[in-house]
Each structure stands twice: as C-alpha cells, then as structure tokens.
Amino acid sequence: MSEQAVSDVALTARILGAAFYYPPSEIVQITELLSSGEWVAEWPYGNDAQKQAAAQKLGLTVTGEETLAQAYQRLFIGPQALPASPWGSVWLDKEQVLFGDSTVALREWMRAHQVDIVLSQNEPEDHIGLLLMMAAWTAENRPDALNSLLAEHLLPWARFYLARMQEKCGSPFYEGLSALTALTLRGWQDALLVIPAEKTIFA
C-alpha cells in the first residue's frame, strides 16, 4: 500500500469516524469542516457531482426545529428506537443483539493484531464510528491488517447501515455524512482491492 493510500484512508476514516461517534459539541472543528463544503476539492474519493450532493446535505445542520445535537441524540442514543443501528452485531447477528458473535470475532481480530482502543464506557467496539477510527489507526500502525479489518468487520454490513441512514434518518447532515461515507468506503475498496466477506444481514 502506498504512503498516499495510507494517508488518504487514515485522514478520511478519522474525520468520518469522529463525526459518527461523538456528539457535535465535542467535535466542533470537524462538524464545521464538513458543513462548510471546503473538503470537497481535496476529498480523494467520489466524483465532483457525488461530493457536491453530499456537501449540500452536510451544509444543513438545522432542520425545522431539530438542531444537530438533537439529531445526534435521536439517531445514536435514543430513547426512541434508532432508525438505523450503528452497531455491526445488530446487522450480523441472528438475534440482532449488541455484543453478538460478530463483536466477539472483532475482539479476537483486535487481539490478534494488537489493536487496542480505549473506551470510556462498556460498549461494543463495532460501532460504525469506532470501526472507522480503528481503520485510521490500523492504516497508520498496522497497514498489513487493514484489508482484513475492512473485509471482515466493516464492509459486510456498513453499506446496509449507510443506505438505511440515507433513507430513514430524517437529518440532512447525517444523510450527507452517510452518503459521503458510502462513497469513501467504495473508494477504499477499489484502491486497496478489498473483497468484502459475504455475510447474512439480519437487520
């Protein structure tokens, strides 16, 4: 993998992962960057029309009476049912549970490749945001392991999650984020020649 490919994956994964994982108030610079559209010219994945379409939605951080912070709460915390679950095991486990077999498999992969992430609470490691940030860390520290992380633990379910978010989330910003992430994952897949594992989707 070339240095440029590593750098592109690490940078885009870190931005997208943080935007999915953290409340907007904790990542003000990233939220402002994404909503400004200033990233479009330099984003390495997708064509101009695709990036402009995502940028248009990302620019809408307030919709009706819902702020971005309220959208984050509704989409990732609850208390109502989430329109699209951000955890891989809900998509990959027959019982659609957190900490399912796919989470256990991810933990085994992390142990085997000495990937360690510090979590502030007891939560599954297969959150879309955490996995994207894990991809950034792996690209920089264990590039030889990046393809297996993407092929086994992220790509098999992420496209279904991102499609559901674009269809059901009801927040232009997070629709745009999901569209940009889908473009980026396709870009990684093409650039790194990743063949996603075929897994049954239950959600």
Short mmCIF file of all heavy atoms in Angstrom, two decimals, residues 142-187:
data_model
loop_
_atom_site.label_atom_id
_atom_site.label_comp_id
_atom_site.label_asym_id
_atom_site.label_seq_id
_atom_site.Cartn_x
_atom_site.Cartn_y
_atom_site.Cartn_z
N ARG A 142 -0.75 -0.57 11.46
CA ARG A 142 -0.71 -1.97 11.00
C ARG A 142 -1.31 -2.07 9.61
O ARG A 142 -2.32 -2.76 9.41
CB ARG A 142 -1.51 -2.86 11.98
CG ARG A 142 -0.97 -2.97 13.38
CD ARG A 142 0.39 -3.65 13.43
NE ARG A 142 0.41 -4.92 12.70
CZ ARG A 142 0.06 -6.09 13.23
NH1 ARG A 142 -0.34 -6.15 14.48
NH2 ARG A 142 0.13 -7.20 12.52
N PRO A 143 -0.71 -1.38 8.63
CA PRO A 143 -1.32 -1.36 7.29
C PRO A 143 -1.55 -2.74 6.70
O PRO A 143 -2.47 -2.95 5.91
CB PRO A 143 -0.35 -0.53 6.45
CG PRO A 143 0.91 -0.43 7.24
CD PRO A 143 0.53 -0.58 8.67
N ASP A 144 -0.72 -3.71 7.11
CA ASP A 144 -0.88 -5.08 6.61
C ASP A 144 -2.19 -5.71 7.06
O ASP A 144 -2.66 -6.68 6.46
CB ASP A 144 0.29 -5.96 7.10
CG ASP A 144 0.42 -5.94 8.63
OD1 ASP A 144 0.50 -4.83 9.20
OD2 ASP A 144 0.42 -7.01 9.25
N ALA A 145 -2.79 -5.17 8.13
CA ALA A 145 -4.03 -5.74 8.68
C ALA A 145 -5.27 -4.99 8.22
O ALA A 145 -6.40 -5.40 8.52
CB ALA A 145 -3.97 -5.73 10.21
N LEU A 146 -5.09 -3.90 7.47
CA LEU A 146 -6.24 -3.05 7.13
C LEU A 146 -7.26 -3.78 6.26
O LEU A 146 -8.47 -3.71 6.51
CB LEU A 146 -5.76 -1.78 6.42
CG LEU A 146 -6.84 -0.78 6.02
CD1 LEU A 146 -7.62 -0.28 7.24
CD2 LEU A 146 -6.23 0.40 5.26
N ASN A 147 -6.78 -4.52 5.26
CA ASN A 147 -7.73 -5.21 4.37
C ASN A 147 -8.61 -6.19 5.13
O ASN A 147 -9.81 -6.29 4.87
CB ASN A 147 -6.97 -5.93 3.25
CG ASN A 147 -6.68 -5.00 2.07
OD1 ASN A 147 -6.52 -3.81 2.27
ND2 ASN A 147 -6.59 -5.54 0.88
N SER A 148 -8.03 -6.92 6.09
CA SER A 148 -8.84 -7.91 6.81
C SER A 148 -9.86 -7.21 7.72
O SER A 148 -10.99 -7.68 7.86
CB SER A 148 -7.97 -8.88 7.61
OG SER A 148 -7.27 -8.24 8.65
N LEU A 149 -9.49 -6.07 8.31
CA LEU A 149 -10.45 -5.31 9.12
C LEU A 149 -11.64 -4.88 8.26
O LEU A 149 -12.81 -5.06 8.63
CB LEU A 149 -9.79 -4.08 9.74
CG LEU A 149 -10.72 -3.12 10.49
CD1 LEU A 149 -11.36 -3.80 11.69
CD2 LEU A 149 -9.98 -1.85 10.91
N LEU A 150 -11.35 -4.32 7.09
CA LEU A 150 -12.41 -3.83 6.21
C LEU A 150 -13.24 -4.99 5.66
O LEU A 150 -14.48 -4.94 5.67
CB LEU A 150 -11.81 -3.02 5.06
CG LEU A 150 -11.03 -1.76 5.44
CD1 LEU A 150 -10.46 -1.10 4.20
CD2 LEU A 150 -11.90 -0.77 6.22
N ALA A 151 -12.57 -6.04 5.19
CA ALA A 151 -13.26 -7.14 4.53
C ALA A 151 -14.14 -7.93 5.48
O ALA A 151 -15.24 -8.37 5.12
CB ALA A 151 -12.25 -8.08 3.86
N GLU A 152 -13.68 -8.12 6.72
CA GLU A 152 -14.39 -8.99 7.66
C GLU A 152 -15.35 -8.24 8.58
O GLU A 152 -16.41 -8.75 8.95
CB GLU A 152 -13.38 -9.75 8.54
CG GLU A 152 -12.55 -10.77 7.78
CD GLU A 152 -13.37 -11.95 7.29
OE1 GLU A 152 -14.36 -12.31 7.95
OE2 GLU A 152 -13.02 -12.50 6.23
N HIS A 153 -14.98 -7.02 8.97
CA HIS A 153 -15.68 -6.40 10.10
C HIS A 153 -16.39 -5.08 9.80
O HIS A 153 -17.19 -4.63 10.61
CB HIS A 153 -14.70 -6.20 11.26
CG HIS A 153 -14.05 -7.47 11.70
ND1 HIS A 153 -14.76 -8.46 12.35
CD2 HIS A 153 -12.79 -7.95 11.53
CE1 HIS A 153 -13.95 -9.48 12.61
NE2 HIS A 153 -12.76 -9.20 12.11
N LEU A 154 -16.12 -4.46 8.66
CA LEU A 154 -16.78 -3.19 8.36
C LEU A 154 -17.61 -3.24 7.08
O LEU A 154 -18.81 -2.97 7.09
CB LEU A 154 -15.73 -2.06 8.27
CG LEU A 154 -16.28 -0.67 7.95
CD1 LEU A 154 -17.28 -0.21 9.01
CD2 LEU A 154 -15.15 0.35 7.82
N LEU A 155 -16.98 -3.62 5.97
CA LEU A 155 -17.69 -3.56 4.68
C LEU A 155 -18.91 -4.48 4.58
O LEU A 155 -19.89 -4.11 3.93
CB LEU A 155 -16.72 -3.84 3.53
CG LEU A 155 -15.63 -2.78 3.31
CD1 LEU A 155 -14.68 -3.20 2.20
CD2 LEU A 155 -16.22 -1.41 3.00
N PRO A 156 -18.90 -5.68 5.20
CA PRO A 156 -20.06 -6.56 5.01
C PRO A 156 -21.40 -5.97 5.46
O PRO A 156 -22.44 -6.30 4.90
CB PRO A 156 -19.70 -7.80 5.85
CG PRO A 156 -18.21 -7.82 5.85
CD PRO A 156 -17.81 -6.37 5.93
N TRP A 157 -21.40 -5.09 6.45
CA TRP A 157 -22.66 -4.54 6.94
C TRP A 157 -22.80 -3.04 6.77
O TRP A 157 -23.92 -2.52 6.72
CB TRP A 157 -22.86 -4.89 8.43
CG TRP A 157 -21.88 -4.21 9.35
CD1 TRP A 157 -20.63 -4.63 9.66
CD2 TRP A 157 -22.07 -2.98 10.06
NE1 TRP A 157 -20.03 -3.75 10.53
CE2 TRP A 157 -20.89 -2.73 10.79
CE3 TRP A 157 -23.13 -2.07 10.16
CZ2 TRP A 157 -20.72 -1.60 11.61
CZ3 TRP A 157 -22.97 -0.94 10.97
CH2 TRP A 157 -21.78 -0.72 11.69
N ALA A 158 -21.68 -2.32 6.65
CA ALA A 158 -21.74 -0.85 6.68
C ALA A 158 -22.58 -0.27 5.56
O ALA A 158 -23.31 0.70 5.75
CB ALA A 158 -20.33 -0.26 6.64
N ARG A 159 -22.53 -0.87 4.36
CA ARG A 159 -23.29 -0.28 3.24
C ARG A 159 -24.79 -0.35 3.50
O ARG A 159 -25.54 0.53 3.07
CB ARG A 159 -22.90 -0.91 1.91
CG ARG A 159 -23.25 -2.35 1.73
CD ARG A 159 -22.55 -2.92 0.49
NE ARG A 159 -22.74 -4.35 0.38
CZ ARG A 159 -23.68 -4.92 -0.34
NH1 ARG A 159 -24.56 -4.18 -1.00
NH2 ARG A 159 -23.79 -6.23 -0.40
N PHE A 160 -25.23 -1.40 4.20
CA PHE A 160 -26.66 -1.52 4.53
C PHE A 160 -27.05 -0.46 5.56
O PHE A 160 -28.10 0.18 5.45
CB PHE A 160 -26.96 -2.92 5.05
CG PHE A 160 -26.74 -4.00 4.03
CD1 PHE A 160 -25.55 -4.72 4.00
CD2 PHE A 160 -27.70 -4.27 3.06
CE1 PHE A 160 -25.34 -5.70 3.05
CE2 PHE A 160 -27.50 -5.25 2.09
CZ PHE A 160 -26.31 -5.97 2.08
N TYR A 161 -26.19 -0.29 6.54
CA TYR A 161 -26.42 0.75 7.56
C TYR A 161 -26.47 2.14 6.91
O TYR A 161 -27.38 2.93 7.17
CB TYR A 161 -25.32 0.70 8.62
CG TYR A 161 -25.28 1.93 9.49
CD1 TYR A 161 -26.26 2.15 10.46
CD2 TYR A 161 -24.30 2.90 9.31
CE1 TYR A 161 -26.25 3.30 11.24
CE2 TYR A 161 -24.28 4.05 10.08
CZ TYR A 161 -25.26 4.25 11.05
OH TYR A 161 -25.25 5.39 11.81
N LEU A 162 -25.50 2.43 6.05
CA LEU A 162 -25.41 3.76 5.44
C LEU A 162 -26.60 4.02 4.51
O LEU A 162 -27.12 5.14 4.45
CB LEU A 162 -24.09 3.91 4.69
CG LEU A 162 -22.84 3.86 5.59
CD1 LEU A 162 -21.57 3.71 4.75
CD2 LEU A 162 -22.76 5.10 6.49
N ALA A 163 -27.05 2.99 3.80
CA ALA A 163 -28.23 3.13 2.94
C ALA A 163 -29.47 3.40 3.78
O ALA A 163 -30.30 4.26 3.44
CB ALA A 163 -28.42 1.88 2.09
N ARG A 164 -29.62 2.68 4.90
CA ARG A 164 -30.77 2.89 5.78
C ARG A 164 -30.75 4.30 6.37
O ARG A 164 -31.78 4.95 6.49
CB ARG A 164 -30.74 1.84 6.90
CG ARG A 164 -31.91 1.88 7.88
CD ARG A 164 -33.13 1.10 7.43
NE ARG A 164 -32.85 -0.25 7.02
CZ ARG A 164 -32.84 -1.31 7.85
NH1 ARG A 164 -33.07 -1.14 9.14
NH2 ARG A 164 -32.59 -2.52 7.38
N MET A 165 -29.57 4.77 6.74
CA MET A 165 -29.45 6.13 7.29
C MET A 165 -29.88 7.16 6.25
O MET A 165 -30.60 8.11 6.57
CB MET A 165 -28.01 6.40 7.74
CG MET A 165 -27.67 5.82 9.09
SD MET A 165 -28.42 6.71 10.48
CE MET A 165 -27.26 8.06 10.69
N GLN A 166 -29.44 6.98 5.02
CA GLN A 166 -29.80 7.95 3.98
C GLN A 166 -31.31 7.95 3.73
O GLN A 166 -31.90 8.99 3.42
CB GLN A 166 -29.04 7.64 2.69
CG GLN A 166 -27.57 7.96 2.79
CD GLN A 166 -26.81 7.56 1.54
OE1 GLN A 166 -26.94 8.20 0.49
NE2 GLN A 166 -26.04 6.49 1.61
N GLU A 167 -31.92 6.81 3.91
CA GLU A 167 -33.35 6.67 3.63
C GLU A 167 -34.22 7.12 4.81
O GLU A 167 -35.25 7.76 4.62
CB GLU A 167 -33.64 5.20 3.31
CG GLU A 167 -35.05 4.92 2.87
CD GLU A 167 -35.31 3.42 2.78
OE1 GLU A 167 -34.36 2.63 2.72
OE2 GLU A 167 -36.49 3.05 2.78
N LYS A 168 -33.78 6.81 6.05
CA LYS A 168 -34.68 6.92 7.19
C LYS A 168 -34.28 7.93 8.26
O LYS A 168 -35.07 8.18 9.17
CB LYS A 168 -34.79 5.56 7.90
CG LYS A 168 -35.18 4.41 7.03
CD LYS A 168 -36.62 4.06 7.20
CE LYS A 168 -37.00 2.80 6.50
NZ LYS A 168 -38.40 2.66 6.29
N CYS A 169 -33.06 8.47 8.22
CA CYS A 169 -32.60 9.21 9.41
C CYS A 169 -33.29 10.55 9.60
O CYS A 169 -33.38 11.05 10.72
CB CYS A 169 -31.08 9.36 9.41
SG CYS A 169 -30.43 10.66 8.36
N GLY A 170 -33.77 11.18 8.52
CA GLY A 170 -34.52 12.42 8.68
C GLY A 170 -33.69 13.63 9.08
O GLY A 170 -34.21 14.65 9.51
N SER A 171 -32.36 13.52 8.95
CA SER A 171 -31.46 14.64 9.24
C SER A 171 -30.56 14.85 8.03
O SER A 171 -29.76 13.97 7.70
CB SER A 171 -30.58 14.33 10.47
OG SER A 171 -29.42 15.16 10.49
N PRO A 172 -30.69 15.99 7.34
CA PRO A 172 -29.86 16.20 6.15
C PRO A 172 -28.36 16.03 6.43
O PRO A 172 -27.65 15.44 5.63
CB PRO A 172 -30.19 17.63 5.72
CG PRO A 172 -31.59 17.84 6.22
CD PRO A 172 -31.66 17.10 7.52
N PHE A 173 -27.89 16.55 7.56
CA PHE A 173 -26.46 16.45 7.87
C PHE A 173 -26.03 14.98 7.91
O PHE A 173 -25.04 14.58 7.29
CB PHE A 173 -26.13 17.13 9.19
CG PHE A 173 -24.68 17.03 9.57
CD1 PHE A 173 -23.75 17.97 9.12
CD2 PHE A 173 -24.22 15.98 10.37
CE1 PHE A 173 -22.40 17.86 9.45
CE2 PHE A 173 -22.87 15.86 10.70
CZ PHE A 173 -21.96 16.81 10.24
N TYR A 174 -26.78 14.16 8.65
CA TYR A 174 -26.38 12.75 8.78
C TYR A 174 -26.68 11.94 7.51
O TYR A 174 -26.02 10.95 7.24
CB TYR A 174 -27.00 12.13 10.03
CG TYR A 174 -26.30 12.62 11.29
CD1 TYR A 174 -26.90 13.56 12.13
CD2 TYR A 174 -25.01 12.19 11.59
CE1 TYR A 174 -26.23 14.04 13.26
CE2 TYR A 174 -24.34 12.66 12.72
CZ TYR A 174 -24.95 13.59 13.54
OH TYR A 174 -24.28 14.06 14.65
N GLU A 175 -27.64 12.40 6.71
CA GLU A 175 -27.82 11.80 5.38
C GLU A 175 -26.58 12.06 4.53
O GLU A 175 -26.06 11.16 3.86
CB GLU A 175 -29.03 12.43 4.66
CG GLU A 175 -30.37 11.89 5.08
CD GLU A 175 -31.50 12.65 4.37
OE1 GLU A 175 -31.29 13.10 3.21
OE2 GLU A 175 -32.57 12.80 4.97
N GLY A 176 -26.12 13.31 4.56
CA GLY A 176 -24.92 13.67 3.80
C GLY A 176 -23.69 12.93 4.31
O GLY A 176 -22.87 12.47 3.50
N LEU A 177 -23.57 12.82 5.63
CA LEU A 177 -22.44 12.09 6.21
C LEU A 177 -22.46 10.63 5.76
O LEU A 177 -21.42 10.05 5.41
CB LEU A 177 -22.50 12.19 7.74
CG LEU A 177 -21.39 11.46 8.50
CD1 LEU A 177 -20.02 12.06 8.19
CD2 LEU A 177 -21.66 11.48 10.01
N SER A 178 -23.64 10.04 5.76
CA SER A 178 -23.77 8.64 5.34
C SER A 178 -23.44 8.47 3.86
O SER A 178 -22.78 7.50 3.47
CB SER A 178 -25.19 8.13 5.63
OG SER A 178 -25.45 8.20 7.02
N ALA A 179 -23.89 9.42 3.04
CA ALA A 179 -23.59 9.35 1.60
C ALA A 179 -22.08 9.49 1.36
O ALA A 179 -21.50 8.74 0.57
CB ALA A 179 -24.34 10.45 0.86
N LEU A 180 -21.45 10.42 2.06
CA LEU A 180 -20.01 10.62 1.89
C LEU A 180 -19.23 9.39 2.38
O LEU A 180 -18.24 8.98 1.77
CB LEU A 180 -19.56 11.87 2.66
CG LEU A 180 -18.07 12.19 2.60
CD1 LEU A 180 -17.60 12.39 1.16
CD2 LEU A 180 -17.74 13.41 3.47
N THR A 181 -19.70 8.79 3.46
CA THR A 181 -19.03 7.60 3.99
C THR A 181 -19.17 6.43 3.02
O THR A 181 -18.21 5.68 2.79
CB THR A 181 -19.60 7.24 5.37
OG1 THR A 181 -19.47 8.38 6.24
CG2 THR A 181 -18.86 6.07 6.00
N ALA A 182 -20.35 6.27 2.43
CA ALA A 182 -20.55 5.19 1.45
C ALA A 182 -19.61 5.38 0.25
O ALA A 182 -18.99 4.41 -0.23
CB ALA A 182 -22.01 5.16 0.99
N LEU A 183 -19.48 6.62 -0.23
CA LEU A 183 -18.55 6.92 -1.33
C LEU A 183 -17.12 6.56 -0.94
O LEU A 183 -16.36 5.99 -1.72
CB LEU A 183 -18.54 8.43 -1.62
CG LEU A 183 -19.59 9.07 -2.48
CD1 LEU A 183 -19.28 10.56 -2.61
CD2 LEU A 183 -19.60 8.42 -3.85
N THR A 184 -16.78 6.92 0.30
CA THR A 184 -15.41 6.72 0.78
C THR A 184 -15.09 5.24 0.93
O THR A 184 -14.01 4.78 0.56
CB THR A 184 -15.22 7.48 2.11
OG1 THR A 184 -15.51 8.87 1.89
CG2 THR A 184 -13.80 7.34 2.63
N LEU A 185 -16.04 4.46 1.48
CA LEU A 185 -15.81 3.03 1.61
C LEU A 185 -15.63 2.37 0.25
O LEU A 185 -14.79 1.48 0.09
CB LEU A 185 -16.97 2.36 2.37
CG LEU A 185 -17.12 2.74 3.85
CD1 LEU A 185 -18.23 1.91 4.48
CD2 LEU A 185 -15.84 2.54 4.62
N ARG A 186 -16.41 2.82 -0.75
CA ARG A 186 -16.23 2.28 -2.10
C ARG A 186 -14.84 2.64 -2.63
O ARG A 186 -14.18 1.84 -3.29
CB ARG A 186 -17.31 2.81 -3.06
CG ARG A 186 -18.62 2.07 -2.94
CD ARG A 186 -19.52 2.27 -4.16
NE ARG A 186 -19.97 3.65 -4.33
CZ ARG A 186 -21.01 4.17 -3.67
NH1 ARG A 186 -21.71 3.45 -2.83
NH2 ARG A 186 -21.36 5.42 -3.89
N GLY A 187 -14.41 3.86 -2.31
CA GLY A 187 -13.07 4.30 -2.72
C GLY A 187 -11.98 3.46 -2.09
O GLY A 187 -11.01 3.06 -2.76
#
